[in-house]
Amino acid sequence: MRLRKRFVGFIVTIQLILFLTHFLIYETWIFSPTGSRVLWIELVLGFLSISFVAASLLAFRYTNAVLRAFYRAAAIWLGLVSFLFVASVSSWIILGAARLLGLNPNFHGMVEVMFGAAIAAGLYGVFNASWTRITRATVRLANLPVAWRGRRAALISDVHLGHVRNGGFLRRMVAKILNEAPDAIFIAGDLYDGTAIDAGRAAEPLSRLRAPHGVYFVAGNHEQFGDDSKYLHAIAAAGVRVLSNEKVEVDGLQIVGVPYRNAAPVGHFASVLRALRLDRDRASILLTHAPDHPEIAEAAGVSLQLSGHTHLGQFIPWSWMARRIYRQFVYGLSRIGKMQVFTSSGAGTWGPPLRLGSNPEIVMLEFE
């Protein structure tokens, strides 16, 4: 009962924020000395203000072509609203500054320009989110087994299969990975979005993944909103090794996987890593979804942590917030003590299928 009340409270809060955001955008657009109202705009924005919450609630229970189209449209609009909100706030700031300087600018003309730029930026973000890059990085690890020197591994995370991305998207990602011919493949969680989906059918393209030294998966937070068994069974059935608080050794390299649910609590994460008894004199790779507690992994003797989760914020202004939260671990290769961390921006998107200030990627790591 308490959990349900918290969920309802969360939904109400989000909906209120969206309503107020749309109200600001509307008031910015119609602002004039006469203050005339435009009924049709009010009705359209009123519907759009509730569209994403409504689509999301339906998406967690149902899946069909009509709902997927509705969810995708609502998600794109949510992204555009973020840019329109920034444009609205910027317009009022410029107007205020101009008035202080004794100027009287054409406010509506300025708003038209700002809103046009916001929509253009959003549409580019939609295009950019569908353009997956190959990112290359070289990682030097102490005590790396001779057999692993020069080998390459693919890292992919945050595909978010659901109502926006589906099996067709995953097939394209698999083809890109196979074209690189990696020696090992790591999938760092959030393969699924958590919405209603035929998990087995969506994961079927994974059965084509082949790498001489294995394909490994660790669960992310979106697989673990509830019971993750249907997702893990589907991934395992496609021939991928699911790591859950496990260590495997491949040609002398220790490969460890800790799912999100076990890595999020600091104390539990530390106890899981202690129980795995890593050999500090040999190189190791930790696959865990989020770069939340790299200091715990470093203290356990991990050589390299591979994560995703942050999406690099996906688009401005959220990318600025992501950088404040995760600091140097928000994206790319970084170091803490003796351990290195590579955080991928992910291949897919959550919520709005937009990326601006971040790029979708598959990471190719070469070990030295």
Side-chain angles (χ1 to χ4, degrees), residues 74 107 118 152 162 198 215 229 236-237 253 266 363:
F107 182 72
R152 301 184 309 138
D198 183 334
V215 183
S229 59
L253 179 66
V266 174
V363 181

Side-chain angles (χ1 to χ4, degrees), residues 292-312:
D292 288 335
H293 308 295
E295 72 282 358
I296 301 298
E298 194 275 337
V302 172
S303 305
L304 173 66
Q305 175 177 313
L306 301 178
S307 298
H309 184 64
T310 70
H311 295 219
L312 192 50

Side-chain angles (χ1 to χ4, degrees), residues 66-331:
V66 174
L67 179 55
R68 287 193 293 273
F70 175 43
Y71 181 90
R72 188 177 295 112
I76 291 173
W77 173 248
L78 181 64
L80 294 179
V81 162
S82 295
F83 295 114
L84 290 171
F85 173 77
V86 172
S88 298
V89 172
S90 300
S91 297
W92 288 108
I93 291 173
I94 293 171
L95 177 63
R99 291 283 175 85
L100 288 174
L101 294 172
L103 303 175
N104 188 27
N106 180 348
F107 182 72
H108 191 72
M110 177 175 60
V111 169
E112 288 179 338
V113 172
M114 297 290 280
F115 277 23
I119 292 173
L123 294 178
Y124 171 77
V126 174
F127 164 76
N128 190 49
S130 65
W131 177 18
T132 308
R133 283 75 155 177
I134 300 292
T135 301
R136 303 183 190 278
T138 300
V139 182
R140 298 190 177 195
L141 297 179
N143 302 317
L144 182 70
V146 174
W148 277 88
R149 295 176 187 173
R151 284 181 180 173
R152 301 184 309 138
L155 169 64
I156 187 171
S157 71
D158 302 280
V159 177
H160 287 276
L161 298 176
H163 284 62
V164 174
R165 311 293 181 195
N166 52 35
F169 179 76
L170 183 58
R171 278 191 291 274
R172 292 193 294 275
M173 296 304 100
V174 167
K176 284 178 176 287
I177 292 171
L178 292 177
N179 189 55
E180 294 291 326
D183 296 289
I185 301 169
F186 300 110
I187 307 173
D190 281 6
L191 178 70
Y192 295 94
D193 198 46
T195 52
I197 193 173
D198 183 334
R201 183 178 179 183
E204 190 276 332
L206 294 179
S207 63
R208 294 183 54 221
L209 280 180
R210 295 288 185 274
H213 303 290
V215 183
Y216 306 93
F217 171 86
V218 68
N221 56 305
H222 279 255
E223 279 91 22
Q224 299 192 311
F225 282 151
D227 181 9
D228 60 5
S229 59
K230 67 176 181 179
Y231 301 125
L232 302 187
H233 289 158
I235 293 167
V240 175
R241 174 70 182 270
V242 176
L243 296 176
S244 182
N245 304 327
E246 295 177 71
K247 177 180 72 173
V248 296
E249 301 208 14
V250 182
D251 289 349
L253 179 66
Q254 303 170 97
I255 299 175
V256 176
V258 180
Y260 180 83
R261 188 177 290 158
N262 298 112
V266 174
H268 192 55
F269 188 28
S271 65
V272 167
L273 291 176
R274 281 196 301 269
L276 294 176
R277 299 182 181 278
L278 286 176
D279 183 348
R280 294 172 180 266
D281 295 325
R282 291 188 292 130
S284 57
I285 292 178
L286 168 65
L287 187 63
T288 192
H289 179 59
D292 288 335
H293 308 295
E295 72 282 358
I296 301 298
E298 194 275 337
V302 172
S303 305
L304 173 66
Q305 175 177 313
L306 301 178
S307 298
H309 184 64
T310 70
H311 295 219
L312 192 50
Q314 274 191 210
F315 56 91
I316 299 168
W318 310 112
S319 54
W320 302 334
M321 295 179 63
R323 290 181 186 278
R324 288 184 63 87
I325 293 170
Y326 289 101
R327 303 177 305 281
Q328 73 266 32
F329 304 112
V330 71
Y331 175 71

